[in-house]
Amino acid sequence: MVCNITHVDKKVPYFNAPIYLKNIQKIGKVDEVFGPITAVKVRSEELGVKSEERREKRREEKRREEKRREEKGEKERRR
């Protein structure tokens, strides 16, 4: 996954530096730094994996919730 540097200082991050969200949640580390000095971008393999894992977890939770609703609906129909 590729990220833009958005902090005011526009300092170039070092390799293996942690990547944080605005709410100070650590989401990965810097694997590659590229782009011009005025528009630095970083790439992180770990970041993409974690976000994909979160998406899959949400999908699974949604499937479980839909299954519960279906089961609840069937029980009410039987009454």
Side-chain angles (χ1 to χ4, degrees):
M1 179 172 283
V2 176
C3 301
N4 289 323
I5 302 298
T6 58
H7 57 79
V8 181
D9 302 3
K10 295 286 184 180
K11 293 180 180 177
V12 177
Y14 55 91
F15 293 99
N16 294 323
I19 299 173
Y20 295 96
L21 293 175
K22 286 184 180 181
N23 66 0
I24 310 176
Q25 177 186 2
K26 184 178 175 184
I27 58 171
K29 66 180 180 78
V30 175
D31 291 331
E32 182 180 3
V33 179
F34 59 97
I37 197 78
T38 57
V40 176
K41 297 180 182 351
V42 296
R43 183 184 62 81
S44 174
E45 291 290 326
E46 184 178 327
L47 185 62
V49 170
K50 286 185 177 183
S51 60
E52 185 59 37
E53 287 173 356
R54 284 192 294 265
R55 275 189 228 112
E56 185 57 38
K57 185 176 178 181
R58 283 187 217 125
R59 286 182 199 129
E60 186 61 35
E61 289 172 357
K62 191 174 181 179
R63 286 184 207 121
R64 286 184 197 146
E65 184 61 32
E66 289 172 358
K67 187 175 179 181
R68 283 188 211 125
R69 288 180 187 166
E70 285 178 12
E71 290 173 356
K72 186 177 180 182
E74 287 177 15
K75 287 179 182 178
E76 289 178 3
R77 284 185 227 141
R78 290 179 186 170
R79 291 181 185 176

